[in-house]
């Protein structure tokens, strides 16, 4: 393939602005797949993705298109995950491109994630083609959106393409713009091979497969290769492109995008951002921007039925084959028994993994509240990282604790600015800046602890701005904070899985609210259950779950056996997600209660 005929591009957009639908139309229009072959939304192909309507795993597809000049072009669409958890993956995908379509919803305008992604694309010097989508909507206002693109992003929107992925309007124009406006890749064939890995997946026959973009040199089937970050040496047993199904090739030149398989057993060998070069005589410097995966959020996963412990381990191992960002290790909790401490890129990632474990592997799990990673500086000068509140060292040995902060960007209509500020302030946010995007919309930036974002920041934002707020955040730094461990005692016993780390100023109120909330969640049992919140030895709140007087069957006078069975079934149903902690039956919600108290 002649490098001059290649165009590598991504699509960047805020969630729901129509990225996947536009991609589908491009694929359909060029006949890459017939309509019948195209199951709805090819690019979002995981069930969960489809249900949630968001892209979790990026996909790549090669589209052949005859340009206005009559020449055939090879357009490689590199899809990017559409969620803040996957910012690093997005940055690697963009590094594989020369251009990007910027999709903006004609009714919604520029949103927080549009901005974050555009800035990243600009950092990579990509040619950006603004596309205003959904112009078929009655509420579409393309002129306002154009103005916003110019004012807020600083891009020339005079040549923005007006499109509707629904009606197909503007699709041809987009394809022509990709050919005409996005530069061809600039790699050189006679240099030693260097290829960027921008994604990976696991195939049960071929092993771990890398999605690659050749920067320089030529990749041939059978070549001896090396991963620069891990030093792993292997042979290219198969190379090819995505149409979108994998299609084998014998060689791939500079600028090409496709896949690479070679006796690589796990996705951990294929690290996103790593550079592939020749085993002998390759490049000496890796491509810039490589970063190892670092989980941001941890939680404990425990099987409700302890006999499922091994099944949980098998399931986690299988999921990890395809997800290098998932980490886990065995953990024991006094309250919950044997389980795993798992690390995730963020809350969505955590949610998706939990759901897959339950759905695909049929596991019933108790999940503990997510925790960020704290840096605990001890008086003896040692620094330990703590991702489980119950592991916090004895307070007398702690000099100080640092916690992760993020830069949070919120975009809202101006009437809601007060609400955003109030919520952010309550969440220990530090105000950074406020700018008007247009007469009506405002961008507010806060420096705020990640743990507060995890709690219920976004839910609160959404509810107090009638859903209008959009949020994006990125890890900023670690800062010292006065943090303490809040323990919960049930029936006089501390329940390790309910411990949390909170700011000292909020500790008393959080303790009270949590005890009160738990009182409503813990079902009444045959005996009274005191619930106490404590910091160190000091009890700061107490509630009682009163004893149950009658058992459920007492209602069934006489012997209506079917009614009795129904009641017992119902009770069993409710018990599914219960875990006996000492003598107390504790439902799943209790472990998440900390996330939604006021
Ligand atoms: P993520 O995968 O989360 O990034 O979302 P997305 O940007 O891929 O959005 P998607 O393509 O899933 O579209 C979101 C919704 O908008 C879907 O319900 C689409 O049917 C709808 N939609 C997309 N394009 C158009 C359009 O041109 N007109 C109208 N009316 N609706 C559209």
């Amino acid at each position: 393939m002649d490098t001059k005929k290649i165009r590598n591009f991504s699509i960047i957009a805020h969630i729901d602005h129509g990225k996947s639908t536009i991609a589908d139309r491009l694929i359909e229009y060029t006949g890459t797949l017939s309509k019948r072959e195209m199951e709805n939304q090819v690019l979002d192909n995981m069930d969960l993705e489809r249900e949630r309507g968001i892209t979790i795993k990026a996909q790549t597809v090669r589209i052949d298109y005859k340009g206005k000049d009559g020449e055939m072009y090879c357009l490689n669409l590199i899809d990017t995950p559409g969620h803040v958890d996957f910012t690093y993956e997005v940055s690697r995908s963009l590094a594989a491109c020369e251009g990007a379509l910027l999709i903006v919803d004609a009714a919604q305008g520029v949103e927080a994630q549009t901005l974050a992604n555009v800035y990243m694309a600009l950092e990579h010097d990509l040619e950006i083609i603004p596309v205003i989508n959904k112009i078929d909507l009655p509420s579409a206002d393309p002129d306002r959106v154009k103005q916003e693109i110019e004012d807020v992003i600083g891009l020339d929107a005079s040549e923005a393409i007006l499109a509707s992925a629904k009606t197909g309007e503007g699709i041809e124009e987009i394809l022509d713009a990709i050919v005409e406006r996005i530069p061809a890749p600039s790699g050189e064939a006679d240099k030693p091979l260097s290829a960027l890995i921008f994604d990976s997946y696991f195939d049960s026959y071929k092993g771990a497969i890398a999605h690659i973009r050749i920067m320089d040199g030529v990749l041939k089937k059978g070549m001896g290769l090396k991963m620069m970050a891990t030093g792993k040496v292997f042979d290219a047993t198969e190379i090819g492109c995505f149409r979108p199904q994998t299609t084998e090739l014998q060689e791939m030149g500079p600028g090409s995008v496709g896949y690479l398989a070679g006796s690589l057993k796990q996705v951990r060998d294929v690290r996103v951002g790593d550079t592939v070069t020749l085993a002998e005589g390759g490049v000496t410097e890796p491509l810039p921007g490589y970063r190892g995966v670092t989980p941001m959020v941890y939680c404990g996963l425990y099987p409700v039925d302890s006999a499922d412990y091994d099944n949980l381990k098998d399931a986690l191992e299988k999921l990890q084959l395809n997800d290098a960002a998932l980490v886990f290790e065995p953990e024991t909790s006094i309250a919950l028994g044997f389980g795993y401490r798992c690390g995730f890129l963020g809350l969505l990632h955590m949610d998706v993994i939990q759901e897959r474990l339950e759905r695909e592997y049929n596991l019933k799990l108790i999940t503990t509240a997510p925790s960020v990673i704290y840096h605990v500086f001890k008086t003896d000068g040692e620094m330990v990282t703590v991702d489980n509140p119950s592991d916090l060292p004895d307070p007398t040995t702690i000099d100080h604790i640092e916690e992760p902060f993020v830069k949070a960007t919120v975009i809202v209509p101006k009437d809601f600015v007060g609400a955003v500020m109030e919520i952010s302030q309550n969440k220990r946010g530090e105000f950074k800046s406020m700018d008007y995007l247009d007469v009506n919309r405002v961008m507010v930036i806060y420096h705020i602890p990640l743990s507060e974002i995890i709690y219920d920041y976004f839910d609160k934002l959404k509810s107090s701005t009638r859903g209008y707020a959009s949020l994006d955040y990125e890890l900023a730094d670690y800062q010292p904070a006065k943090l303490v461990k809040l323990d919960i005692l049930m029936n006089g016993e501390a329940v390790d899985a309910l411990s949390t780390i909170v700011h000292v100023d909020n500790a008393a109120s959080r303790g009270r609210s949590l005890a009160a909330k738990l009182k409503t969640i813990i079902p009444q049992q045959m005996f009274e259950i005191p619930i106490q919140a404590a910091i160190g030895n000091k009890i700061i709140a107490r509630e009682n779950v009163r004893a149950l007087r009658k058992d459920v069957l007492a209602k069934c006078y006489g012997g209506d056996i079917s009614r009795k069975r129904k009641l017992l079934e119902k009770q069993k149903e409710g018990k599914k997600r219960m875990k006996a902690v000492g003598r107390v039956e504790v439902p799943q919600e209790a472990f998440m209660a900390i996330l939604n108290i006021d």
Side-chain angles (χ1 to χ4, degrees):
M1 169 59 65
D2 179 358
T3 305
K4 289 198 204 69
K5 297 284 161 55
I6 299 177
R7 299 289 181 273
N8 296 320
F9 71 104
S10 271
I11 304 183
I12 54 186
H14 188 75
I15 287 173
D16 265 4
H17 284 198
K19 183 167 65 121
S20 311
T21 324
I22 291 263
D24 287 354
R25 289 292 158 270
L26 298 177
I27 293 171
E28 200 181 86
Y29 185 88
T30 52
T32 307
L33 281 178
S34 71
K35 213 164 190 159
R36 200 163 50 82
E37 282 172 306
M38 276 200 43
E39 219 192 313
N40 223 352
Q41 300 218 346
V42 193
L43 288 190
D44 282 357
N45 64 1
M46 205 161 95
D47 275 0
L48 272 178
E49 295 189 14
R50 210 173 290 165
E51 256 169 54
R52 288 165 184 246
I54 42 164
T55 318
I56 297 163
K57 198 97 181 113
Q59 304 274 316
T60 302
V61 55
R62 170 176 161 170
I63 298 168
D64 291 328
Y65 179 66
K66 196 178 203 175
K68 276 193 193 147
D69 57 4
E71 300 275 340
M72 281 309 286
Y73 287 86
C74 161
L75 316 181
N76 292 307
L77 160 56
I78 297 174
D79 195 18
T80 53
H83 193 273
V84 324
D85 284 4
F86 305 97
T87 308
Y88 173 65
E89 283 71 9
V90 175
S91 83
R92 294 306 83 206
S93 296
L94 295 180
C97 299
E98 279 75 29
L101 301 179
L102 166 65
I103 313 282
V104 185
D105 186 309
Q108 307 284 327
V110 172
E111 295 286 358
Q113 270 188 319
T114 323
L115 278 182
N117 288 336
V118 170
Y119 290 144
M120 214 190 289
L122 289 172
E123 267 170 40
H124 286 96
D125 282 333
L126 301 194
E127 177 67 33
I128 295 174
I129 303 173
V131 175
I132 298 173
N133 185 36
K134 307 200 191 182
I135 52 163
D136 59 286
L137 290 176
S139 52
D141 188 352
D143 289 335
R144 176 181 70 90
V145 174
K146 265 192 196 175
Q147 194 62 45
E148 230 173 62
I149 292 175
E150 300 212 337
D151 294 349
V152 179
I153 308 176
L155 283 175
D156 176 9
S158 61
E159 289 192 70
I161 298 169
L162 302 187
S164 163
K166 190 170 175 190
T167 64
E169 199 177 334
I171 296 299
E172 187 178 329
E173 214 183 317
I174 294 175
L175 287 160
D176 288 328
I178 292 169
V179 170
E180 287 158 18
R181 294 202 231 161
I182 295 178
S186 61
E188 290 175 39
D190 44 13
K191 283 196 175 167
L193 177 72
S194 71
L196 172 71
I197 300 180
F198 60 86
D199 196 8
S200 66
Y201 68 97
F202 187 79
D203 179 288
S204 35
Y205 298 107
K206 297 174 192 164
I209 305 217
H211 289 223
I212 49 162
R213 150 74 198 265
I214 316 266
M215 294 303 188
D216 282 309
V218 177
L219 171 64
K220 293 186 182 149
K221 187 178 167 174
M223 266 181 168
L225 302 174
K226 185 170 80 180
M227 298 289 187
M228 293 191 76
T230 59
K232 174 113 189 150
V233 173
F234 64 101
D235 290 334
T237 48
E238 187 180 325
I239 62 173
C241 62
F242 299 100
R243 283 173 174 277
Q245 64 280 38
T246 52
T247 308
E248 266 200 83
L249 294 171
Q250 294 304 311
E251 66 172 62
M252 293 165 66
S256 302
V257 167
Y259 69 94
L260 162 65
S263 47
L264 298 160
K265 292 209 179 51
Q266 38 180 345
V267 281
R268 316 204 122 212
D269 295 329
V270 182
R271 304 217 175 147
V272 170
D274 199 356
T275 306
V276 185
T277 191
L278 299 170
E280 305 281 340
V283 293
T284 47
E285 283 294 315
L287 296 163
Y290 172 73
R291 207 179 76 192
V293 282
T294 38
M296 299 255 274
V297 178
Y298 279 81
C299 78
L301 294 179
Y302 291 85
V304 169
D305 179 353
S306 46
D308 270 339
Y309 178 76
D310 286 332
N311 298 339
L312 173 59
K313 180 173 179 224
D314 287 348
L316 284 167
E317 277 170 358
K318 289 212 180 88
L319 288 179
Q320 199 179 43
L321 281 178
N322 211 353
D323 185 347
L326 169 67
V327 300
F328 62 92
E329 57 180 46
E331 172 180 78
T332 322
S333 150
I334 301 165
L336 298 176
F338 294 104
Y340 286 91
R341 190 86 194 154
C342 303
F344 307 93
L345 294 174
L347 286 187
L348 175 79
H349 187 216
M350 178 174 114
D351 252 25
V352 167
I353 296 287
Q354 279 169 18
E355 230 173 295
R356 292 190 65 188
L357 287 168
E358 296 189 348
R359 267 199 222 182
E360 294 167 31
Y361 297 90
N362 239 334
L363 291 162
K364 287 206 176 60
L365 301 172
I366 295 281
T367 313
T368 64
S371 165
V372 299
I373 304 162
Y374 296 95
H375 290 172
V376 180
F377 294 82
K378 298 177 62 172
T379 45
D380 61 8
E382 191 195 0
M383 192 277 273
V384 288
T385 57
V386 171
D387 60 55
N388 183 347
S390 68
D391 292 341
L392 196 70
D394 178 350
T396 59
T397 67
I398 297 175
D399 181 67
H400 71 282
I401 305 177
E402 292 186 355
E403 68 176 327
F405 275 69
V406 298
K407 175 185 163 201
T409 306
V410 181
I411 295 183
V412 274
K414 66 176 187 314
D415 294 349
F416 297 113
V417 168
V420 172
M421 291 188 149
E422 193 184 327
I423 293 166
S424 308
Q425 231 87 12
N426 287 342
K427 295 288 182 188
R428 300 192 282 132
E430 187 194 330
F431 174 80
K432 287 286 169 198
S433 66
M434 181 170 117
D435 289 294
Y436 271 79
L437 302 185
D438 55 33
V439 286
N440 186 35
R441 293 193 325 144
V442 180
M443 177 166 79
V444 192
I445 296 181
Y446 267 90
H447 188 242
I448 199 166
L450 176 62
S451 64
E452 299 289 349
I453 299 253
I454 286 182
Y455 280 7
D456 51 359
Y457 182 69
F458 193 45
D459 290 345
K460 284 226 154 75
L461 265 187
K462 281 269 173 201
S463 61
S464 56
T465 61
R466 284 197 264 128
Y468 280 118
S470 67
L471 166 73
D472 189 75
Y473 60 87
E474 59 185 333
L475 190 64
D477 51 11
Y478 267 79
Q479 299 237 332
K482 289 207 162 55
L483 302 168
V484 290
K485 180 155 70 101
L486 174 67
D487 290 317
I488 294 292
L489 289 76
M490 234 178 251
N491 234 358
E493 302 266 350
V495 181
D496 58 357
L498 285 173
S499 294
T500 48
I501 292 176
V502 294
H503 193 268
V504 74
D505 294 346
N506 304 334
S509 67
R510 286 244 164 106
R512 276 194 301 275
S513 321
L514 184 55
K517 177 100 186 183
L518 286 171
K519 180 185 171 180
T520 65
I521 293 176
I522 307 285
Q524 287 182 302
Q525 288 163 42
M526 299 307 290
F527 47 91
E528 184 178 86
I529 309 163
I531 297 173
Q532 295 160 301
I535 295 167
N537 293 327
K538 196 167 154 226
I539 302 290
I540 53 167
R542 177 184 170 126
E543 299 278 348
N544 279 327
V545 179
R546 277 189 296 145
L548 195 64
R549 293 265 170 73
K550 296 175 187 148
D551 79 345
V552 278
L553 299 183
K555 283 194 198 130
C556 303
Y557 47 89
D560 178 353
I561 188 69
S562 68
R563 179 137 182 248
K564 208 178 232 174
R565 198 177 296 133
K566 249 189 212 154
L567 272 167
L568 286 170
E569 280 301 318
K570 223 167 153 187
Q571 205 181 38
K572 215 164 95 200
E573 194 68 27
K575 267 198 179 150
K576 275 186 187 155
R577 289 300 183 85
M578 296 273 197
K579 192 89 184 172
V581 175
R583 290 168 63 214
V584 184
E585 291 280 333
V586 182
Q588 162 70 58
E589 302 93 276
F591 299 97
M592 290 293 166
I594 185 74
L595 299 190
N596 41 35
I597 56 174
D598 289 323

